[in-house]
Amino acid sequence: MDLKEKINLIKKNEAVAMLAPTFAIDFKYPNIIGMLRKLGFKEVTELTFGARMVNWAYANYIKEHPEQELFIASPCPTVVAMVQHQYPELIKFLVPVVSPMEAMAKVHKKFNPNCKVIFISPCWAKENVEAPKYKEIDAVITLKDLKQIFEQEDIKEENFIENYYFDSFVREYTKIYPVSGGLASTSHIQKLFQEGEILITDGVENIKKAFDDFKAGKSKYKFMDLLNCDGGCIGGPAINNKDLPTEKKKEIIFEYTHRSSEATMGEHEGKVKDAKDIDLSAKF
Ligand code: SF4
């Protein structure tokens, strides 16, 4: 789907934007919410509720498989592809739970089957590798695409200075998911392992070392929280400001997390309990 088709999908449908928290590296909050509404989105949401559901599913899966020697977190499609193509003997250790993107898309489709779900992404792997596997995601727009679209449509940040609010499902703490270790630190998995059994790392070389050590019987880790890009999704290649130092990007995400935790829930109030029966299982 080219940019023109993506713009038409937004303008002509009940389009729902699902923002990965990495957007804060490129766009001002809350201006971005007003800008996306102006573009034509009916709802503007974050991935955070999907991330929370994924946390629950991870904790349940780990509790149900006490005999399993290793669990590899699977929200990054590039890590999943690396396991599938370079370490096929480790596929059985990938946690068979969908990513926050797909979990949140399922939530939207459950409550409004006619909506068009569009994920705003820091990388192309979400668009080209992961999203095509799931019917609930109608399109992916990268942060680079989004900047271009705003320019084409003459939508300027400085014209959206009101106090805009997300159409939220919950007030959230999972906004730090895109920072390396976000999954392990926001999920309930920490209490399911002993100290030193959780590995949090990012970057191809570190991930390969972790897998090679495990294969050689030299690993003490039972849970691996791995993201392909440096620093996690904040290092995603489709972020406009990708060359900012990693520490600066982390600072932006933490500052945004702190500032935006006052989200109102509006019409989504009370829906959390109805989302609990959504199937979050994945196959690798
Ligand atoms: S770590 Fe990088 S490749 Fe993986 S999902 Fe995040 S941005 Fe995409």
Side-chain angles (χ1 to χ4, degrees), residues 164-233:
Y164 301 99
Y165 293 102
F166 282 114
D167 301 290
S168 288
F169 281 79
V170 280
R171 294 178 181 84
E172 267 303 347
Y173 55 86
T174 51
K175 291 173 200 266
I176 61 162
Y177 228 82
V179 177
S180 183
L183 188 149
S185 64
T186 58
S187 69
H188 305 296
I189 63 159
Q190 275 182 342
K191 50 186 176 230
L192 302 176
F193 296 97
Q194 305 293 322
E195 205 180 329
E197 288 181 341
I198 297 177
L199 170 68
I200 294 169
T201 197
D202 51 73
V204 178
E205 292 314 313
N206 292 331
I207 294 170
K208 281 187 175 168
K209 179 171 183 331
F211 291 161
D212 290 339
D213 283 352
F214 178 79
K215 277 172 60 182
K218 293 192 291 183
S219 175
K220 59 181 178 166
Y221 300 114
K222 291 198 169 161
F223 185 88
M224 294 185 180
D225 181 2
L226 311 172
L227 290 170
N228 176 72
C229 300
D230 290 337
C233 293

Side-chain angles (χ1 to χ4, degrees), residues 30-64:
N31 314 48
I32 181 74
I33 301 172
M35 294 164 78
L36 289 168
R37 295 220 167 100
K38 174 74 179 168
L39 192 56
F41 280 105
K42 290 282 180 297
E43 283 194 28
V44 181
T45 63
E46 292 181 282
L47 278 196
T48 46
F49 179 52
R52 182 191 280 211
M53 291 174 69
V54 167
N55 288 349
W56 291 330
Y58 266 68
N60 289 339
Y61 182 82
I62 292 164
K63 279 189 226 157
E64 285 161 9

Side-chain angles (χ1 to χ4, degrees), residues 52-98:
R52 182 191 280 211
M53 291 174 69
V54 167
N55 288 349
W56 291 330
Y58 266 68
N60 289 339
Y61 182 82
I62 292 164
K63 279 189 226 157
E64 285 161 9
H65 296 81
E67 76 297 339
Q68 194 166 311
E69 58 179 318
L70 174 66
F71 299 88
I72 302 174
S74 55
C76 172
T78 310
V79 171
V80 170
M82 188 195 294
V83 172
Q84 288 171 324
H85 297 115
Q86 295 177 44
Y87 296 87
E89 64 277 42
L90 303 185
I91 292 175
K92 62 181 181 219
F93 300 125
L94 285 168
V95 179
V97 170
V98 297

